[in-house]
Amino acid sequence: MEAPRSATAALVAVFVCALAFAAGCGDDSGPGREQLTWIDTPDVVVPPGLKTDRILRGDVRNDSNKKLRIEAAKVRVYDDRGHRIKGSATFAAGYLHSLYPPTRGPSNVPDYELERIGKIATIDAGKSAQITVSWREPKGRRTAARIDYGTGSLRIPPEAKTRRERNF
Amino acid sequence: MSVLRIGIVAAGVVALIALMLPAGAGAHAERATFFPDPNQGDFPTYRTDGPSLVVCKPNSRYRIAQIADPDLRRYNEELLSRCTFRDIQAAVNRAANGYRILVLPGVYYEKPSNGPAPAGCEDVYQRTANGQFALSYEEHRQCPNAQNLIAVLGDTDGDRICDSKCNIQIEGTGDGPEDVRINGQKTKLNVIRADRADGIYIKNMTVWYSDFNNIYVLETNGFRIDQVVSRYSREYGILSFTSDHGIYENCEASHSGDSGLYPGSGPNARHGQPDVHGHVYGIEIRHCVSHHNTIGESGTAGNGTWSHDNVFRNNAIGITTDSFAGGHPGMPQDSSKWSHNLIYSNNNNIFTDDRDAYCQNTPWEERDNRKVCPTFQVPVGTGLLIAGGNANKVEENYVFDNWRNGTMLFWVPAALRGENDSEKTYDTSSNNQYLRNCMSTRPFDLSAVDFTTCEGTRDSNGKDFWWDEEEGNDCVEEQAGCVDNDTQFGNCWSGNQGFDGETPSSDPVDVLLPMCPGLDVFRPGNADKQAFLVPCATWDPMTNTDPPGCDWFTTPPEP
């Protein structure tokens, strides 16, 4: 394909994606659209001293046919009205800290170190990774509903929250 | 093959692997390092004779005149007549094995060390300026002051064993550590670097203002830091790494952005067994006070270290040891002991919004000495945290007035330290013993404490003991997979007392804390408790100072 056709095709793809987003892109209930899916219903817990905060832990599977590289820093949490709310994410399986002080590391940290400290996840097609996302619930009746990871999004299953929050 | 030999070989293997990884020392870049042979070398002893060189400043005479003790004043006056050096580094350069360097009262800026790059060192200086801190040993030999105000480098033939400038004693001659002050002026990563400098003895001086370590001991078999005051380091007050037969004693360490004292990558070969000299612990920290740091004492892979008769107070957290970071030889952490320490009032919250803003907006060079900016995140209000450690003993300490928890113990998955052997996933947080500690009780007299009793006034911790309830597998560190060579011990709590004989408070409740010797049965722990820790990993002092889900940075209410 020559260059102009290629550019046209790219524009069409962007447009289609934009339409899909407007139609609810980010909701993983849509068939075949999302790259990551929950393997099981994630757990959501409420830290004892932080009643407005939530911590979600779950395993996601790469249902696309290509390797995905997800950056924790690009993960966003949105409420049920589409507003972004304060959140953080990590792919680390537990608490740890970086080898380098956060303000004094080398400019180019290799991927294996970024993976170790949970700042990125590289997930082969069909494989899974654990993700922890925390957020601060918005005031009022709104609630966190969607986790955007840059190239797609995951719905936060309401049953995950209701199931666990009752325990606290 | 003996256990010790296995340990040495394993250390070598770890170090070889580390050659392919970004190595770490105290969480900063360092060359790949190797443990000294524990059956060689020993703890240095103080010497009052032997060849010596004298260092002084133009105003030393005036300062000597202020010394109250007439004998000590006369001794210094005699030394002054022999003074031939204005800078400590110059004396180090002249010294041979076994020399004493006698430093007369004065303030030492070591200006020649801050000069431009010598011929042949331009590239090393430039790389350092660019933040590439991991120089080879040979580069340090070639350019000793690229990163260090004072460098003592003892290996000349590359076999990692000291053969030149060994057993050097650098000693302030005043009537206290404040009389000799080495001021790093925030210009160098390290104020004093002792690298493969076996037998080094540093005594009776104050060290200030390093960009990383005020005193840095690396790959050294035999060192002693005695009567040293270490303040205002951007990162570490006194740090040792892959070293053995070392003593920190009679020291005061304060206002460091990471740790006052850091015995990291401690001797790994012993695993609780004595070396040929009979020493179970290769690093000893005693009679020190560490305060107003982010962490009083810490040590990633802080193995084989015995801290006793110290005070850890008014830090954000008193003590930590962990298996978090990759690139630290000797993982996972094991076989250290804390006994007869006072661990209290570690509620100094340096993670407040005000401090965050100050640290974000004030360059290091311009910061107020006493406004510590934290390098890493910690659970403010905690006395002692063992994160992914094995076979440690916490014995007969007074632990009080730490508003979150007196002690914390939790599992660290092996993958987080870069361990890819999946059978080792649960190889941490096993066999730690908490014995006869006095909790939530302030002794009547802090200067005269009987650690065999538990008497004083109530001064509660938030919870005396916090545990994530994980009991790790007992995996032999040096073998692939998880080879269990222990069927006896588990994490356990025995003989501890709360105020006035009460049962110490705990999470989980007391009946769920196993009595010693513990239950040697693997269990994965409480998933919710472990989940509460994870968001704290996303802390960043510039971009994420208050991660949702993490309560570590809020001062807990006073219990």
Side-chain angles (χ1 to χ4, degrees), chain B residues 321-336:
Chain B
T321 192
D322 70 82
S323 301
F324 290 144
H328 283 57
M331 292 283 200
Q333 188 279 337
D334 73 286
S335 302
S336 286

Side-chain angles (χ1 to χ4, degrees), chain B residues 51-60 79-96 99-108 110 112 165:
Chain B
S52 62
L53 304 169
V54 181
V55 189
C56 65
K57 285 293 177 191
N59 66 353
S60 290
L79 289 175
L80 186 62
S81 66
R82 289 178 44 209
C83 176
T84 50
F85 297 93
R86 288 291 191 221
D87 298 289
I88 298 167
Q89 180 69 75
V92 169
N93 294 344
R94 181 70 63 83
Y99 266 58
R100 295 177 300 137
I101 295 172
L102 305 174
V103 185
L104 300 189
V107 180
Y108 292 81
E110 301 288 303
K165 305 189 191 305

Side-chain angles (χ1 to χ4, degrees), chain A residues 95-157:
Chain A
Y95 170 75
L96 82 168
H97 63 62
S98 59
L99 176 61
Y100 311 102
T103 57
R104 307 190 75 184
S107 53
N108 292 311
V109 179
D111 268 10
Y112 62 79
E113 172 66 3
L114 293 174
E115 285 200 68
R116 184 189 73 80
I117 61 178
K119 291 199 169 185
I120 65 167
T122 307
I123 315 170
D124 289 328
K127 299 296 183 184
S128 63
Q130 185 178 68
I131 185 169
T132 299
V133 182
S134 60
W135 65 87
R136 201 150 286 151
E137 282 283 89
K139 290 177 180 173
R141 301 179 69 177
R142 293 180 296 138
T143 186
R146 184 167 63 86
I147 296 166
D148 188 301
Y149 51 87
T151 58
S153 65
L154 293 155
R155 191 172 60 96
I156 300 171

Side-chain angles (χ1 to χ4, degrees), chain B residues 523-539:
Chain B
R523 58 173 169 164
N526 182 319
D528 284 352
K529 282 179 166 178
Q530 291 165 347
F532 299 149
L533 306 171
V534 180
C536 303
T538 66
W539 176 85

